[in-house]
Amino acid sequence: MGVLVRGKSGKAGERRKALGRWLPEHRWQARSVPGPSAGSVPRQPGGPRLSTRSRRFRPASWPVLRLPRTRRVRRRLVQGLMAACVLALIPATWMRLESGDRVGTTAEAPAREVAVVFGAGLWKGRPTPYLAHRLDAAAELYRTGKVKVVLVTGDNSRVEYDEPDAMRTYLTGLGVPDERIVSDYAGFDSWDSCVRAKKIFGVDRAVLVSQGFHIHRAVTLCRSAGIDAYGVGVDEPRDTTWYYGGARELAASGKAALDALLRPDPRFLGPEEQGVTEALATGAR
C-alpha cells in the first residue's frame, strides 16, 4: 500500500494544481473588481489588465472631459472664456452708463404725471413680494404728490393669469383711487411695456418703478422708446431671488440692447387708448 502525501497527490493535490492554473488567469479580477458598494462593472476576461487605480471606472458610453494637453491651447481656451464674459457684460454696462443719474429713490424722484410699474409675477393670484414692493413705492409716489396717475403694465395672456388687475387691487388697498390707476394688459416684457406706454397711452414723461437690478434696463428701454424716464430702484435683501434676478439681467441685457437698437414693434400693439388722459383729467377736477 502506497503512502498518501497530503498536498502532493490525491484529490487535495489535484485541487491545488487546478487552483494554481486558475489564479494567473483570474488574478485581474482580484485587482480590478470593487466591492458591492462601488457599483462598477468587472472587465471581461481577455481584456487589458487594469491597475488598482481603475477600480472605479466609468462605462465606455459616458463622456470623458479632457483638458487640452498643450499650454497654447489652454491659453486660447481661457482667452475665449474671458472674451465671452466681456461680451456678456457690455450691454449691461452700457445700460448702466446710459441711465446714469436717472436712477434714485422715491424721495429723489422728480415730479412727473405718470408712474409706470412693471409686472413681476403673481403667487396664487396676488402680487409676489417683489411686485408688492414696487407697488408700495408707487403708492408712496402718489401719496407724496410726485405722480398723479399710476400705469400698471403686465401679462394677461391667459384668462387665469392677470397681473394688471392684481396690481390694481393691491394699489387700491393702499389708498390709491381706482380712477387714478390705468391698466396695460399686454406688457409682456420691458420693451413692450415702454413702447405701449408711449404709443398706446401717450406717456411722454414718467417715473419708472422696479427693483435695482432691473431699473437701469427699464430706463434705457423707455428712453429708446421716446419717454423722458426717471427710475426708482426698490431696495431688496440680497437673497436667492435677488441673485437670480441679477444673473437674469445679464442674459436679458443682450436682447434689450437689440431692442433699443432695432426698435421692433411689440407683440401686440393695438389701437390708442385714452386711459391716462382721462385719469389725468379726473385728477384735475
Side-chain angles (χ1 to χ4, degrees):
M1 180 180 296
V3 179
L4 175 62
V5 180
R6 188 174 184 82
K8 297 293 184 178
S9 61
K11 295 182 178 180
E14 292 176 0
R15 285 197 298 268
R16 181 162 298 184
K17 291 180 180 180
L19 182 61
R21 290 193 302 269
W22 181 85
L23 281 176
E25 297 175 1
H26 300 273
R27 191 172 298 160
W28 61 271
Q29 292 184 354
R31 290 199 274 185
S32 63
V33 177
S37 61
S40 59
V41 180
R43 182 181 64 87
Q44 297 297 327
R49 180 172 295 179
L50 302 177
S51 64
T52 55
R53 297 181 60 183
S54 302
R55 292 184 179 181
R56 295 181 181 178
F57 59 91
R58 294 181 293 267
S61 60
W62 289 17
V64 179
L65 298 177
R66 300 182 182 276
L67 295 176
R69 295 183 177 182
T70 63
R71 291 184 179 179
R72 181 179 181 182
V73 176
R74 288 197 295 266
R75 183 169 59 252
R76 289 185 175 180
L77 178 61
V78 172
Q79 292 173 348
L81 292 175
M82 293 177 64
C85 292
V86 171
L87 290 175
L89 291 173
I90 286 177
T93 304
W94 168 67
M95 290 180 188
R96 283 189 172 270
L97 295 175
E98 182 70 16
S99 55
D101 56 353
R102 292 176 174 266
V103 174
T105 63
T106 54
E108 298 168 342
R112 302 283 171 87
E113 290 184 332
V114 181
V116 179
V117 184
F118 297 85
L122 302 178
W123 174 253
K124 296 182 179 180
R126 294 179 56 83
T128 60
Y130 270 39
L131 179 53
H133 297 163
R134 297 181 185 185
L135 297 170
D136 292 339
E140 182 180 350
L141 289 172
Y142 179 82
R143 285 194 300 268
T144 57
K146 294 289 184 73
V147 301
K148 300 176 181 179
V149 174
V150 180
L151 173 62
V152 292
T153 174
D155 186 358
N156 183 215
S157 58
R158 307 185 304 275
V159 176
E160 68 278 6
Y161 190 85
D162 190 343
E163 277 187 318
D165 278 358
M167 296 162 74
R168 175 187 291 271
T169 301
Y170 189 93
L171 283 173
T172 55
L174 295 177
V176 181
D178 185 74
E179 63 271 14
R180 300 294 184 88
I181 305 171
V182 180
S183 299
D184 175 13
Y185 295 95
F188 300 125
D189 60 22
S190 299
W191 174 250
D192 286 9
S193 295
C194 292
V195 174
R196 286 178 55 81
K198 174 66 178 179
K199 294 185 176 182
I200 303 301
F201 295 95
V203 176
D204 295 319
R205 304 170 73 240
V207 176
L208 313 181
V209 184
S210 186
Q211 265 69 34
F213 54 74
H214 171 251
I215 195 62
H216 295 277
R217 176 161 62 97
V219 170
T220 302
L221 289 177
C222 280
R223 293 188 66 196
S224 297
I227 298 176
D228 182 8
Y230 183 92
V232 171
V234 180
D235 290 332
E236 296 288 349
R238 299 300 191 264
D239 55 6
T240 303
T241 305
W242 189 91
Y243 284 109
Y244 168 78
R248 182 177 177 274
E249 278 302 303
L250 292 178
S253 60
K255 176 185 178 301
L258 291 177
D259 288 337
L261 178 64
L262 303 177
R263 301 184 180 182
D265 287 334
R267 280 175 281 179
F268 180 80
L269 193 59
E272 295 183 7
E273 298 185 20
Q274 301 300 317
V276 172
T277 302
E278 293 173 357
L280 290 173
T282 300
R285 294 182 191 144

